[in-house]
Amino acid sequence: MSNRGVTDAIERLATMTSRADGTAYLSPWPLRDLRDLATELGLRGVGGLRKADLVERLVEHTIGYRLTSTALRRR
């Protein structure tokens, strides 16, 4: 995947408001592209993950982290 493709993906994930949207967006991606995205995001230890597990980690790292942070700030 090109650097522009990775940048576009990161920007798109940043606008999503649910984990389900992120999962639906990333699930069709080839495993190689998912690994490129994970590398760009600084995720470590994802080389041996199955595709579904990698998608889950990516979604949690991007959308899930943001949703959790927002919920904590509202307390």
Side-chain angles (χ1 to χ4, degrees), residues 2-73:
S2 70
N3 284 342
R4 182 67 196 151
V6 169
T7 301
D8 290 345
I10 293 170
E11 289 174 4
R12 184 150 182 204
L13 288 165
T15 65
M16 294 183 182
T17 57
S18 76
R19 289 173 175 90
D21 290 344
T23 300
Y25 173 64
L26 293 174
S27 290
W29 285 35
L31 186 56
R32 177 181 224 174
D33 291 348
L34 292 170
R35 287 189 177 136
D36 289 346
L37 180 58
T39 298
E40 186 66 27
L41 290 170
L43 290 175
R44 301 202 184 276
V46 297
L49 292 178
R50 294 176 317 151
K51 183 177 177 178
D53 294 332
L54 181 53
V55 167
E56 183 179 333
R57 287 273 307 271
L58 286 164
V59 168
E60 193 56 39
H61 183 77
T62 55
I63 300 164
Y65 177 79
R66 189 177 67 251
L67 293 177
T68 301
S69 295
T70 301
L72 289 174
R73 278 182 281 179

